[in-house]
Every structure is written in structure tokens, then in C-alpha cells.
């Protein structure tokens, strides 16, 4: 059984040079729900997401203080093995980035890197993960074709399958449907809804309609500050903070 995922953030601050991008963020995120991170452009949503898998380390000039606990471990501790951490955090980026290899090899890549060589087991993993990503029926007859030859929407679902193949605990998604057509977006959303029984999914979105369709829990950032968070129904129907109410109504952006 997969260990219970628990994320707790304490006094998280991020600076890019003189810019204070995230300011004193404190939050606990629920397990096995779809968590939507909302707010206007430049408010810190993606920065927050990058702190959860230490991708923030790759940004020149970024300075991070505070603590982020996942399953009781402070992942911002310099002693944490970052490769192991990122294995637990499947990342789906805004633009699909399939590896320059076949559809099959994209999904099998992670298990192979971690030592799996048994072809029958790899076949099972590839089919299972492609089914989870709602892609199997569309590509099962061309698994050994280049991943670059399938549509952008299919590439995004392939990247989801590739991330799932390394058995993460948490799925991170940074505006994963912003480059997709409506049908592909719907299929990604359907996959997230199916996956939440086994995974905590944290999705950055600038589309309030998408957050309303998907989210069980909502986190609202504005100008680098965590303004409010809570169950989706409460956040959309009766937010506590005036700034949240104004954002939901489109008064501020």
C-alpha cells in the first residue's frame, strides 16, 4: 500500500534577487484530493509548485527559506537526496516534453532507469500507465512509433503516463491543459479525477472554470502571499476574505 502523503509548509519564503516572490506561506494540504492553486499571473503559484519538488534549485538567484514536510521529512533540508524526492513527485509541465524516443520507451524509461529489465513486466507497466492516462486505446497499435508523431494532447497524456510509471506519491501539474484543445483538456481532467483515489494531485491553473470542475480543495495566492485556502465549495461559494471574493468575481486580476 502506498504511504499516506502529507504535505505541510512552514514559513516558506522565496526570493529572486531582490524580489520577494513568496512571503511567509504556511499551509497543510489534504491527502488524495485534487488541490487547485489559483491566482493571477505572477502571484507565486508556479514558484510554490517548484518548491515542492526542489525544481526551484535550478533557478539562478533563487533563495528559499522555511520548511516543506512530505511524509514528515523536510524536503528543503540540504541533506535530502533530490533525485529520490523528484521520483515521488510526478511533474506535468505546461508544454508536453516527451523524450525523443518511441511511445513505449517513454513510459518504460523510468522503470528501466531504476533497474527493471524484464520485458513482460515492462509491457504490463506500459499498458497500465497508458490506460491510466486514457491513451492506451489511441496508441496501442503504434507503441514503437516516435512520440513526436502524436498530437500535442496525446503527448501531454503520454507525459502523464511516463510520470506515473515511476510510482510517485504526488502529481504536480503546472497549467497542464493551457496548450491543449478542449477535447484533450477534458481527457486530462478525466484522468486526474480517476487518479485522485490513489494520488494527491496539485494543479496550478489560471482558469477558474477548470478549478471549479476539478478541485476538492483550493489555494488562493495574490502578490506572493497565501490569502486563503479551504474546501472548494467553501472557497467558491462563501470565501472568507474580501480579496478572494473580488478575485472570484473578476473584480481584481
Amino acid at each position: 500500500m502506498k504511504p499516506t502523503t502529507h504535505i505541510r509548509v512552514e514559513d516558506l519564503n522565496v526570493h529572486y534577487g531582490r524580489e520577494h516572490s513568496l512571503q511567509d506561506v504556511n499551509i497543510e494540504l489534504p491527502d488524495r484530493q485534487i488541490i487547485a492553486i489559483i491566482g493571477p499571473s505572477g502571484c507565486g503559484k508556479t514558484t510554490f509548485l517548484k518548491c515542492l519538488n526542489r525544481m526551484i534549485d535550478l533557478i539562478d538567484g533563487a533563495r528559499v527559506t522555511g520548511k516543506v514536510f512530505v511524509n514528515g521529512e523536510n524536503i528543503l533540508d540540504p541533506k535530502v537526496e533530490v533525485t529520490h524526492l523528484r521520483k515521488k513527485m510526478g511533474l506535468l509541465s505546461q508544454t508536453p516534453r516527451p523524450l525523443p524516443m518511441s511511445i513505449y520507451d517513454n513510459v518504460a524509461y523510468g522503470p528501466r532507469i531504476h533497474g527493471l529489465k524484464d520485458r513482460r513486466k515492462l509491457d504490463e507497466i506500459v499498458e497500465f500507465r497508458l490506460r491510466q492516462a486514457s491513451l492506451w486505446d489511441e496508441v496501442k497499435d503504434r507503441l514503437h512509433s516516435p512520440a513526436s508523431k502524436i498530437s500535442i494532447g496525446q503527448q501531454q497524456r503520454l507525459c502523464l503516463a511516463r510520470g506515473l510509471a515511476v510510482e510517485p506519491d504526488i502529481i504536480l501539474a503546472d497549467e497542464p491543459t493551457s496548450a491543449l484543445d478542449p477535447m484533450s483538456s477534458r481527457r486530462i481532467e478525466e484522468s486526474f479525477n480517476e487518479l485522485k483515489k490513489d494520488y494527491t494531485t496539485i494543479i496550478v491553473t489560471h482558469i477558474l472554470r477548470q478549478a471549479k470542475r476539478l478541485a476538492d480543495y483550493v489555494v488562493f495566492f495574490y502578490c506572493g502571499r497565501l490569502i486563503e485556502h479551504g474546501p472548494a465549495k467553501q472557497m467558491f461559494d462563501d470565501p472568507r476574505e474580501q480579496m478572494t471574493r473580488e478575485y472570484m468575481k473578476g473584480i481584481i486580476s
Side-chain angles (χ1 to χ4, degrees), residues 53-67:
N53 70 346
R54 295 275 299 272
M55 293 298 289
I56 195 75
D57 296 5
L58 305 178
I59 299 177
D60 289 340
R63 181 166 57 87
V64 183
T65 60
K67 297 177 180 179

Side-chain angles (χ1 to χ4, degrees), residues 9-16 19-26 47-48 51 56 62-68 76 224-225:
V9 178
E10 296 182 357
D11 301 322
L12 179 65
N13 285 268
V14 178
H15 291 81
Y16 297 128
E19 178 189 353
H20 198 172
S21 182
L22 282 183
Q23 305 172 38
D24 302 318
V25 176
N26 289 274
T47 294
F48 179 75
C51 289
I56 195 75
R63 181 166 57 87
V64 183
T65 60
K67 297 177 180 179
V68 176
L76 296 184
R225 293 188 178 277

Side-chain angles (χ1 to χ4, degrees), residues 17 93 104 127 135 157 222 252:
S93 59
Y104 181 100
E127 178 175 349
L135 188 57
R157 283 179 282 150
Y222 196 84
I252 61 172

